[in-house]
């Protein structure tokens, strides 16, 4: 049975192997689509070439003496590596740190700034500046998520460290870890969930690690870095990042645990700390899918699910972490109007109509979870307020920007999701036009006659439902089964 998360713009290889995420094996280089060199030896396609030369890649493939890497600091401060790191910082943009130096301002004196950073790293005078803490809203919640914003200089230095360290750890990361890894993403994790559900793994441990990024024990994390890296200066640099001061308004403190969300190195360090957990659960025979600190364990029966939850909880306790008592639960995904959320989607088993035969029967359904829908609607509401002063053409351009991106991720949802949202968006646009005509009370039927669906289509309003139909038609023309 075809996986519902096969992207409709995928390559022919993806189309012919929609569940590739379910049965991947072999070396990380193969997983990441690594090409071969002229000698036929596979290469890591995503590594920074100024750091990972042919000689370094050979050492990575064959293994270094004692399994530990020495003399890496010179790779960190190399001018080519620092320049490559800045290029990524520039692409990601982001706000200024506590020094108020923006990416554009840093770039105006790029050569001098990078030379100064190289010299500080080489002469061991470099010290990370405090992180500026800000808070961003959590989708569908009144809570806010803390976000640490390092200075541009520190982001460049951290990126250079990541260029050096990531291939060393990435090659041994577990198969079922998908977050913040080269050549992997949300869709890969969702394909894996879909494949396991269809194979009968319908008892789900829906888990959440409480404040994971803020509670990682520094000493244990550094010990795991030290298992493969013996360059003392690199270890000191990482330790300095973990001890970076935090400036929250007028408050300043030095963290005793955790790694700030927003720091360039944090995703790699977070994956590194949970990697033993990944291998532990896989070694016990459990089917787990993890994306950063969000994970699910899919089992065939309730007994296995309870055992998996107990073992996961024990591991967390032994490693200084804790599962969230309110957000962690066991779910029977076959229960009607039950299901579970993962990576923005809601999975549920229910009655659905087969598009080819027209018959109704049980099947897996999916749609955006409530928080995802709320976040989307909030974004549209902000752009379609009845009193806004923009022209209708400008409003439609802004709305299209949001709907196209949202559809790109949630296009594997049931069609009626898009039909309802399209109708809701058009209704909000009609109310803008109605208000501009000086009317106060809503004349629903009259508004629809005056501004039909075709009227908005003529102005270029993106229709998610129409795009979904077009994607299904393209899928059929390619000789593939229709998307659900």
């Amino acid at each position: 049975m075809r996986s519902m998360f096969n992207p409709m713009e995928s390559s022919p290889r993806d189309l012919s192997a929609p569940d590739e995420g379910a049965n991947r094996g072999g070396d990380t280089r193969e997983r990441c689509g690594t090409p071969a060199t002229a000698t036929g030896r596979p290469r890591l396609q995503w590594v920074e070439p100024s750091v990972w030369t042919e000689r370094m890649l050979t050492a990575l493939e064959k293994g270094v003496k004692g399994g530990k890497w020495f003399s890496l600091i010179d790779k960190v401060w190399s001018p080519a590596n620092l320049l490559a790191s800045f290029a990524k910082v520039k692409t990601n943009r982001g706000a200024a740190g506590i020094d108020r130096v923006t990416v554009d301002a840093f770039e105006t004196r790029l050569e001098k700034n990078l030379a100064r950073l190289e010299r500080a790293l080489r002469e061991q005078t470099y010290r990370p500046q405090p992180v500026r803490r800000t808070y961003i809203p959590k989708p569908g919640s009144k809570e806010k998520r803390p976000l640490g914003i390092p200075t541009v200089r520190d982001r460049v230095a951290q990126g250079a460290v990541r260029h050096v360290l990531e291939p060393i750890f990435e090659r041994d990361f577990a198969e079922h870890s998908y977050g913040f890894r080269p050549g992997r993403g949300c869709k890969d994790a969702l394909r894996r969930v879909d494949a396991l559900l269809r194979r009968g793994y319908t008892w789900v441990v829906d888990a959440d690690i409480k404040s994971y990024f803020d509670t990682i024990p520094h000493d244990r994390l550094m010990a795991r870095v030290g298992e493969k890296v013996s360059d003392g200066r690199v270890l000191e640099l990482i330790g300095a990042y973990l001890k970076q001061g935090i400036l929250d308004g007028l408050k300043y403190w030095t963290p005793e645990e955790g790694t700030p969300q927003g720091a360039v190195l944090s995703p790699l360090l977070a994956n590194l700390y949970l990697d033993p957990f990944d291998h532990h659960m896989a070694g016990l025979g459990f089917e787990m899918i993890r994306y950063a600190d969000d994970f699910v364990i899919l089992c065939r029966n309730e007994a296995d699910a309870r055992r998996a939850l107990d073992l996961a909880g024990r591991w967390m306790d032994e490693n200084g972490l804790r599962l969230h008592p309110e957000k962690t639960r066991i779910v029977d995904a076959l229960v009607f109007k039950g299901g579970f959320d993962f990576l923005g989607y809601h999975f549920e088993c229910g009655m659905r109509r087969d598009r080819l035969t027209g018959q109704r029967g049980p099947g897996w359904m999916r749609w955006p979870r409530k928080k995802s829908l709320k976040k989307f609607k909030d974004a549209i509401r902000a752009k379609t307020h009845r009193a806004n002063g923009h022209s209708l053409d400008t409003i439609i351009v802004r709305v299209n920007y949001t709907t196209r991106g949202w559809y790109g991720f949630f296009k594997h949802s049931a069609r009626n999701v898009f039909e309802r949202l399209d109708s809701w968006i058009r209704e909000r646009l009609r109310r803008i036009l109605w208000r501009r005509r000086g009317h106060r009370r809503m004349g629903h039927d009259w508004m629809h006659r005056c501004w039909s669906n075709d009227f908005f289509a003529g102005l270029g309003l993106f229709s998610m439902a129409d795009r979904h139909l077009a994607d299904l038609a393209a899928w059929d023309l390619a000789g593939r089964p229709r998307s659900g």
Side-chain angles (χ1 to χ4, degrees), residues 60-362:
L60 183 66
E61 293 164 5
K62 294 183 177 180
V64 293
K65 186 176 181 180
K68 292 190 176 186
W69 289 76
F70 298 84
S71 302
L72 294 173
I73 190 64
D74 60 312
K75 311 297 188 302
V76 173
W77 70 49
S78 77
N81 186 19
L82 294 176
L83 182 61
S85 179
F86 172 77
K88 292 182 179 178
V89 170
K90 181 180 178 180
T91 299
N92 295 331
R93 303 304 296 177
I98 64 166
D99 60 359
R100 300 183 182 275
V101 176
T102 64
V103 174
D104 290 337
F106 191 92
E107 188 178 21
T108 58
R109 304 183 64 190
L110 182 61
E111 186 175 345
K112 290 184 178 180
N113 285 330
L114 293 184
R116 189 180 298 116
L117 177 58
E118 177 197 353
R119 185 166 58 253
L121 289 167
R122 185 190 296 270
E123 298 175 357
Q124 295 183 267
T125 59
Y126 169 78
R127 299 292 182 272
Q129 294 176 279
V131 171
R132 179 169 68 87
R133 172 159 285 190
T134 187
Y135 294 87
I136 57 175
K138 290 185 177 181
S141 171
K142 294 182 179 180
E143 299 180 28
K144 291 190 175 182
R145 186 190 309 278
L147 186 68
I149 304 178
T151 63
V152 175
R153 181 195 71 150
D154 290 341
R155 298 207 292 269
V156 172
Q158 285 193 39
V161 174
R162 181 170 180 168
H163 285 167
V164 173
L165 296 185
E166 189 167 31
I168 294 173
F169 296 107
E170 168 66 28
R171 70 186 303 273
D172 294 322
F173 279 165
E175 283 291 320
H176 54 257
S177 167
Y178 294 92
F180 308 112
R181 295 184 59 189
R184 292 175 162 233
C186 287
K187 292 292 180 71
D188 299 300
L190 292 167
R191 287 191 193 101
R192 179 65 172 152
V193 171
D194 178 50
L196 289 169
L197 288 172
R198 294 171 185 270
R199 286 165 50 192
Y201 290 82
T202 57
W203 281 89
V204 182
V205 178
D206 184 8
D208 181 272
I209 304 175
K210 186 174 177 61
S211 302
Y212 173 59
F213 282 86
D214 293 330
T215 58
I216 301 175
H218 286 174
D219 56 344
R220 298 184 186 187
L221 174 58
M222 289 303 301
R224 286 177 188 166
V225 176
E227 289 174 2
K228 293 188 178 181
V229 175
S230 289
D231 188 319
R233 292 181 61 177
V234 171
L235 294 176
E236 288 177 8
L237 198 54
I238 297 172
Y241 287 130
L242 294 178
K243 296 295 184 181
Q244 266 181 288
I246 296 177
L247 186 64
D248 187 352
L250 298 177
K251 297 179 180 178
Y252 175 86
W253 75 92
T254 301
E256 298 297 325
E257 57 186 8
T259 178
Q261 296 188 63
V264 178
L265 264 179
S266 289
L268 175 61
L269 296 177
N271 273 334
L272 174 60
Y273 194 71
L274 284 180
D275 186 56
F277 173 62
D278 296 338
H279 289 286
H280 175 66
M281 298 305 289
L284 294 172
F286 292 109
E287 298 287 356
M288 186 174 82
I289 301 95
R290 182 175 66 80
Y291 193 95
D293 58 338
D294 193 6
F295 70 91
V296 290
I297 306 172
L298 278 67
C299 305
R300 290 190 180 274
N301 55 64
E302 183 179 5
D304 284 350
R306 295 198 177 280
R307 178 169 168 262
L309 177 56
D310 179 62
L311 291 170
R314 288 186 195 177
W315 190 95
M316 296 294 167
D317 290 341
E318 292 170 359
N319 288 271
L321 303 174
R322 188 162 70 97
L323 294 179
H324 199 296
E326 297 176 1
K327 298 181 181 180
T328 300
R329 61 189 184 126
I330 292 176
V331 178
D332 180 359
L334 292 175
V335 173
F336 181 63
K337 292 188 176 180
F340 64 99
D341 297 338
F342 187 60
L343 298 182
Y345 273 88
H346 177 79
F347 292 84
E348 184 175 314
C349 186
M351 299 299 291
R352 59 182 297 173
R353 185 182 300 278
D354 187 282
R355 291 187 178 274
L356 296 178
T357 66
Q359 297 179 344
R360 289 179 60 84

Side-chain angles (χ1 to χ4, degrees), residues 469-481:
L469 276 178
D471 285 338
L472 293 179
W475 193 262
D476 289 341
L477 289 173
R480 307 295 175 187

